[in-house]
Amino acid sequence: MPRKQHLTTSQRKELRRKENQYIEELNTRTQEFQNPKATYFQDLPLSNAVLRGLKDASYVKLTDIQRDSIPVSSKGNDVLAAAKTGSGKTLAFLVPVLEKLYRERWTEYDGVGALIISPTRELAMQIYEVLVKIGTHCSFSAGLVIGGKDVKFESERISKINILIGTPGRILQHMDQAVGLNTDNLQILVLDEADRCLDMGFQKTLDAIVGNLPASRQTLLFSATQSQSLNDLARLSLTDYKTVGKPANVGGSEPETPDTLQQYYIVVELADKLDTLFSFIKTHLKCKMIVFFSSSKQVHFAYETFRKLQPGISLMHLHGRQKQRARTETLDKFSRAQQVCLIATDVVSRGIDFPAVDWVIQVDCPENVDTYIHRAGRSARYGKQGKSLVMLTPQENEAFLQRLKARKIEPSMLNIKQSKKKSIKPQLQSLLFQDPELKYLGQKAFISYIRSIYIQKDQEVFKFDQLPTEEFAYSLGLPGAPRIKLKGMGAIERSKDLKNAPRQLLKLNKANDNGELEDKPKEGKTKFDKMFERKNQTVLSDHYLNITKSQGQADEDDGDFLSLKRGDHQLREEDLPPLVAPQSKRSIRKALSKKASLASKGNATKMVFDDEGQARPVYELEDEQQFRERGDAKSQKKEFLTKEAEVMAQKDIEDKQLAKEKKQEKKRKQLEALRREMEEDDSYYSEDEEPAVVLGTGNFSDDLDEQSGNEDEGAEGESQEQDEQESESEEPPRKKHTADKEQKHKKDDNVMEVEEPETLEDLESLTTRLLNQ
Ligand SMILES: Nc1ncnc2c1ncn2[C@@H]1O[C@H](COP(=O)(O)OP(=O)(O)OP(=O)(O)O)[C@@H](O)[C@H]1O
């Protein structure tokens, strides 16, 4: 940590002069630099402060993307960089950020000089940690804004932050508040996993953020995959940019996966996936592995059931529905553990750098090749060996392998002898029978998976109509396929234009417990809602649907109705307890007041019923004398008809107006629902989440102290808002700035355990043997 020095004015002037001279020389060296064979960081024209920070953190040798991109970025160019997972992109953009601010002689009082945007909180935290690690000899302040409760807390400190790292939603929130966050002087903007930000529906948020930034800034876009949306973003937000790294898009000559990654696939029936996974885990107890499912509910179910079945390895789970603190703790524990199985959603599929992961298992087929690459890339990082296995159903197999092949990825096939595979279905059934909580989770997991397939864009891979729903339900231990009703699909179609699949999945996950997705947001809960929020009420679902049919008629008329009938739970009306149609207190009050107001109007019309039972107003024959006095019958008739026609025309206009207003209102509510959802989804994982706040201090070394202090003392603050738990660190006193600131091998009865195979053949035969037992 740099010591505070007391200098005289002339000493300070002299120091300043030397520093200016040093920076000028550095700039000249940078502009003239041409060494495509640079091997070490010190071969690059970098400032001493940055080089010392890198060395202290044991970063000495350059990776390819670092060697190629740092000199280009340091020259001030806009850069679009794509490089394989685990190839060291984080340093590739953090080093130029520090260099830029150093060369601009940035001080605490200059405000935000660099903005780094990451799609998820976990990734933002990781970037922050790396920055803290390498920035020990620099004198900038760094801070994290990743959403959550205390905007005020952040706002108060944000004005003193020089390097701001955050998620898009929260950054924009601070910009909108117009207090604290001033980006007028911003020098450099970094978008990490930029395409993921776009995929997650942050396009508008990013546009708004970029719109608030000075045009003169430098911009760096980084990703492991290079999609069309990334190219579009590059065209819009970069100026005269340089492309660095391997062209990682379709048609490239090399696979985009690391060379050290061994990739496999197996073809397995949907209903056999959990059996296969469990057998796999039991035979790889000495490994560190990540298992990916497509939804948080499936993760939750697999975790809870496997925990009870005790495969013999430490199990962890991580998904966006968990509280932030739990997520952070799991990330931390998993990073440190050596033999462990983490069951997770795509919340950790991008960017997260877990050390030494042996296996990545993709139980659910990824939505596209990019997701496959990012998931698999959690293993085999920074030149280390790693393996990945994707489970494909016979329906997905062919088309997905083609998609992979088009990107030069050709995993090897592993065979499983289905006949000999150990089944955990009976245990699951027994568990679910005993534990209603688990059964409920199973139903949720089932619904989530079916929904996830329904909304996939790539229908050649994901064949919704070929899903073996009954078998799948049975494989989860359920007695039959829960009934699913997806309605209001118009809303989903609309949302498809706005968001990509993961967010759609998120939206669908917000459907109610009956599997229904409604076109409009609910206003308050009815007794029906509450009744069906209770667990294990699925048996009532048919009845519920009957009751609510009339209420939901309008939606159903859209033709957007889909249902998967549940075979074993057909419920006869007479078997059900008598249900009185419930009414909310509000609706009862409303009805009563309507009656009261009608009664008080005093102009009620007396009605009589005619022979056909039709109600008609009472009328009496008018006196003939009076009738004649008003004119002849013909003209009276004409006058009457004209009047009636006018009334009808007026009514017609009113009706049309009413219909129009209703339509507009419906549209407004739908838009409102979408908007609200996008806000809630400040991050995708916020089906899910509200973020934690950890703001840095005026000095990196303070940040380090602060972190370790908290770890030691367990001093993490904790509070709740919006159902989220958050952690935050106390801010230590700010330093004054000077002129030169700176298993055991347990044998299972059924599965033989052996050492990790070295070759593909070994692995194949091993897997076959193990699964055949
Ligand atoms: N020059 C280096 N020397 C030693 N280790 C490095 C170096 N650069 C990066 N690493 C290490 O390599 C690992 C992967 O780096 P990083 O997380 O930046 O990869 P990435 O390219 O961003 O991956 P992803 O695309 O998955 O986000 C990290 O553990 C990091 O500490």
Side-chain angles (χ1 to χ4, degrees):
M1 186 188 309
R3 284 188 171 230
K4 194 162 68 177
Q5 290 176 27
H6 294 287
L7 300 168
T8 63
T9 312
S10 59
Q11 280 173 322
R12 273 206 303 273
K13 272 189 183 163
E14 180 55 17
L15 207 65
R16 167 70 53 165
R17 192 191 62 75
K18 280 187 179 165
E19 196 183 19
N20 287 346
Q21 195 184 341
Y22 172 69
I23 290 174
E24 265 175 38
E25 282 168 16
L26 196 60
N27 280 334
T28 313
R29 274 169 54 210
T30 304
Q31 294 307 326
E32 291 169 355
F33 180 79
Q34 271 179 345
N35 180 5
K37 290 194 178 138
T39 314
Y40 302 101
F41 280 107
Q42 64 180 28
D43 295 341
L44 302 181
L46 297 176
S47 63
N48 287 331
V50 173
L51 281 173
R52 269 159 53 212
L54 286 165
K55 196 171 166 212
D56 288 356
S58 305
Y59 296 124
V60 179
K61 226 174 153 191
L62 290 160
T63 65
D64 290 353
I65 185 67
Q66 291 160 2
R67 185 198 55 229
D68 296 344
S69 74
I70 293 175
V72 181
S73 304
S74 298
K75 283 180 185 167
N77 296 302
D78 280 4
V79 165
L80 170 61
K84 293 179 181 184
T85 52
S87 59
K89 291 186 287 297
T90 315
L91 285 184
F93 62 74
L94 284 182
V95 169
V97 162
L98 288 174
E99 281 296 321
K100 178 93 181 173
L101 297 193
Y102 175 75
R103 292 169 197 213
E104 292 294 331
R105 301 170 186 84
W106 210 255
T107 70
E108 166 188 19
Y109 308 102
D110 294 322
V112 179
L115 184 59
I116 301 172
I117 301 178
S118 135
T120 65
R121 294 175 195 175
E122 278 75 11
L123 189 51
M125 287 193 271
Q126 187 180 289
I127 296 168
Y128 177 79
E129 277 165 21
V130 179
L131 180 61
V132 166
K133 230 161 81 176
I134 65 165
T136 43
H137 297 281
C138 300
S139 53
F140 316 118
S141 56
L144 261 179
V145 285
I146 50 177
K149 53 156 195 171
D150 208 343
V151 188
K152 201 164 157 260
F153 175 89
E154 287 179 349
S155 294
E156 281 164 9
R157 284 153 184 81
I158 217 164
S159 59
K160 290 171 190 148
I161 298 293
N162 302 140
I163 303 174
L164 196 63
I165 304 169
T167 46
R170 189 59 153 196
I171 291 171
L172 187 61
Q173 198 180 351
H174 278 288
M175 282 179 160
D176 283 349
Q177 283 183 350
V179 219
L181 180 55
N182 180 353
T183 49
D184 290 352
N185 287 332
L186 192 94
Q187 300 296 309
I188 183 163
L189 166 72
V190 179
L191 285 162
D192 189 20
E193 302 290 355
D195 50 345
R196 181 64 177 159
C197 286
L198 298 176
D199 288 350
M200 284 163 61
F202 284 131
Q203 172 88 56
K204 279 189 184 147
T205 312
L206 285 181
D207 287 348
I209 292 172
V210 171
N212 277 326
L213 304 177
S216 57
R217 71 179 190 275
Q218 184 186 359
T219 307
L220 313 177
L221 297 193
F222 274 77
S223 182
T225 45
Q226 198 175 322
S227 59
Q228 186 51 44
S229 56
L230 187 68
N231 291 333
D232 291 345
L233 183 70
R235 268 191 287 109
L236 293 175
S237 59
L238 305 183
T239 328
D240 283 340
Y241 65 94
K242 311 271 180 218
T243 305
V244 184
K246 295 247 153 69
N249 46 7
V250 183
S253 56
E254 273 185 45
E256 299 156 56
T257 43
D259 304 337
T260 49
L261 180 71
Q262 296 172 44
Q263 300 172 68
Y264 305 103
Y265 74 96
I266 45 174
V267 181
V268 57
E269 290 289 347
L270 178 62
D272 291 336
K273 278 189 175 180
L274 281 186
D275 292 343
T276 310
L277 175 64
F278 194 76
S279 297
F280 185 91
I281 294 174
K282 287 214 62 147
T283 51
H284 292 79
L285 298 179
K286 294 259 174 190
C287 293
K288 180 165 180 169
M289 65 179 97
I290 307 181
V291 172
F292 283 106
F293 282 93
S294 63
S295 73
S296 52
K297 282 159 190 147
Q298 288 164 272
V299 166
H300 200 175
F301 178 73
Y303 171 72
E304 292 298 341
T305 49
F306 281 23
R307 235 160 43 120
K308 294 215 159 46
L309 298 175
Q310 298 187 344
I313 190 171
S314 169
L315 291 171
M316 296 178 184
H317 71 315
L318 207 153
H319 56 79
R321 288 189 157 237
Q322 289 166 313
K323 299 193 190 316
Q324 186 59 45
R325 189 189 166 116
R327 286 163 59 172
T328 312
E329 272 175 15
T330 304
L331 278 181
D332 190 43
K333 277 190 200 156
F334 182 71
S335 294
R336 283 186 278 112
Q338 287 179 350
Q339 292 162 20
V340 58
C341 170
L342 173 67
I343 305 174
T345 57
D346 284 321
V347 70
V348 290
S349 67
R350 291 218 180 199
I352 303 296
D353 182 50
F354 296 119
V357 172
D358 301 299
W359 276 98
V360 168
I361 317 293
Q362 309 195 34
V363 179
D364 291 333
C365 178
E367 59 174 314
N368 53 34
V369 178
D370 281 357
T371 305
Y372 172 92
I373 293 171
H374 285 281
R375 283 176 171 184
R378 294 318 96 206
S379 180
R381 297 178 71 71
Y382 189 60
K384 301 230 168 61
Q385 293 293 320
K387 296 174 193 127
S388 102
L389 173 71
V390 61
M391 293 188 192
L392 300 170
T393 64
Q395 295 81 27
E396 295 157 349
N397 174 33
E398 204 178 315
F400 193 72
L401 288 176
Q402 269 173 19
R403 306 278 183 278
L404 289 177
K405 198 169 178 190
R407 304 272 287 264
K408 309 279 179 293
I409 300 170
E410 297 186 60
S412 314
M413 185 169 126
L414 296 181
N415 287 312
I416 300 168
K417 280 204 180 132
Q418 301 290 336
S419 54
K420 301 258 181 89
K421 196 170 56 192
K422 173 169 162 46
S423 173
I424 55 166
K425 291 182 186 92
Q427 285 102 313
L428 287 178
Q429 276 164 9
S430 154
L431 281 176
L432 267 59
F433 183 74
Q434 290 162 24
D435 187 346
E437 195 79 40
L438 274 185
K439 185 177 166 204
Y440 178 68
L441 283 180
Q443 289 164 344
K444 291 280 213 173
F446 174 92
I447 290 169
S448 288
Y449 179 77
I450 302 293
R451 282 184 200 134
S452 74
I453 298 297
Y454 183 71
I455 58 165
Q456 292 293 349
K457 274 188 193 151
D458 192 341
Q459 292 180 9
E460 279 177 37
V461 174
F462 302 98
K463 296 171 185 135
F464 180 75
D465 49 354
Q466 291 179 27
L467 281 177
T469 49
E470 283 302 325
E471 292 87 340
F472 177 49
Y474 178 71
S475 77
L476 301 178
L478 293 169
R483 182 183 171 117
I484 296 183
K485 180 183 176 194
L486 297 166
K487 69 179 179 180
M489 293 312 293
I492 296 168
E493 291 307 322
R494 279 192 300 280
S495 77
K496 271 183 184 167
D497 297 336
L498 295 173
K499 313 168 203 177
N500 76 342
R503 285 182 57 86
Q504 292 164 11
L505 205 150
L506 164 68
K507 183 182 171 75
L508 279 166
N509 278 339
K510 285 181 175 168
N512 65 29
D513 288 353
N514 222 28
E516 292 171 15
L517 179 79
E518 302 198 354
D519 230 334
K520 53 186 178 185
K522 275 189 187 160
E523 296 159 358
K525 287 178 181 173
T526 66
K527 269 191 183 178
F528 285 139
D529 299 330
K530 285 178 191 156
M531 181 169 81
F532 283 93
E533 267 170 17
R534 278 184 224 133
K535 296 169 186 176
N536 290 304
Q537 300 292 317
T538 329
V539 289
L540 293 173
S541 63
D542 278 0
H543 187 66
Y544 169 61
L545 288 170
N546 282 338
I547 296 169
T548 52
K549 208 176 223 162
S550 54
Q551 298 168 2
Q553 203 68 51
D555 287 333
E556 290 172 18
D557 288 347
D558 291 345
D560 288 325
F561 178 80
L562 268 174
S563 85
L564 296 168
K565 261 236 153 93
R566 155 174 201 164
D568 66 330
H569 273 148
Q570 292 302 336
L571 210 65
R572 286 172 307 153
E573 196 75 19
E574 54 271 31
D575 294 338
L576 288 164
L579 280 176
V580 181
Q583 282 182 311
S584 69
K585 280 184 188 164
R586 206 166 126 235
S587 61
I588 291 170
R589 269 206 306 276
K590 209 169 141 194
L592 283 174
S593 69
K594 221 174 188 179
K595 203 172 163 191
S597 76
L598 275 176
S600 67
K601 278 191 179 160
N603 56 354
T605 316
K606 189 176 177 184
M607 308 288 276
V608 291
F609 290 90
D610 60 20
D611 293 345
E612 285 152 24
Q614 303 290 332
R616 303 204 182 286
V618 181
Y619 65 91
E620 284 163 18
L621 277 180
E622 195 180 12
D623 180 60
E624 196 178 338
Q625 184 63 29
Q626 282 175 355
F627 179 75
R628 286 188 189 285
E629 275 172 14
R630 289 213 308 278
D632 71 302
K634 261 192 183 165
S635 60
Q636 280 198 58
K637 180 183 166 191
K638 200 175 164 195
E639 194 184 329
F640 174 78
L641 288 176
T642 318
K643 259 191 198 164
E644 282 304 301
E646 276 169 13
V647 170
M648 297 282 278
Q650 183 57 31
K651 282 271 175 228
D652 206 34
I653 292 169
E654 283 172 14
D655 285 351
K656 276 185 185 156
Q657 180 62 23
L658 200 68
K660 198 172 155 192
E661 280 170 11
K662 273 189 181 167
K663 215 169 156 185
Q664 281 172 347
E665 178 64 7
K666 194 176 168 193
K667 211 168 170 181
R668 190 191 63 73
K669 280 185 178 172
Q670 286 166 348
L671 285 173
E672 174 69 14
L674 279 175
R675 190 188 59 75
R676 213 178 306 155
E677 199 176 313
M678 290 182 77
E679 280 175 6
E680 273 170 30
D681 298 344
D682 176 277
S683 51
Y684 149 48
Y685 308 107
S686 101
E687 208 182 333
D688 288 339
E689 59 189 77
E690 274 306 319
V693 177
V694 186
L695 276 185
T697 68
N699 192 300
F700 286 127
S701 46
D702 286 350
D703 288 333
L704 274 177
D705 291 345
E706 179 188 348
Q707 285 208 334
S708 55
N710 280 343
E711 272 164 27
D712 293 340
E713 295 148 31
E716 273 195 337
E718 195 186 312
S719 66
Q720 278 208 339
E721 188 184 279
Q722 296 176 3
D723 211 19
E724 283 291 333
Q725 206 168 350
E726 305 175 348
S727 61
E728 65 190 58
S729 307
E730 291 293 311
E731 191 186 35
R734 185 175 292 280
K735 286 174 58 152
K736 247 189 177 174
H737 282 248
T738 55
D740 63 338
K741 292 179 294 143
E742 353 226 314
Q743 188 153 45
K744 199 179 162 190
H745 243 275
K746 201 175 92 186
K747 274 211 170 184
D748 179 78
D749 290 337
N750 300 309
V751 184
M752 184 184 71
E753 194 178 324
V754 286
E755 286 304 316
E756 186 87 326
E758 289 299 320
T759 64
L760 172 61
E761 286 72 26
D762 287 352
L763 185 71
E764 278 184 358
S765 64
L766 166 67
T767 312
T768 310
R769 249 185 306 133
L770 295 171
L771 295 177
N772 283 350
Q773 286 178 72

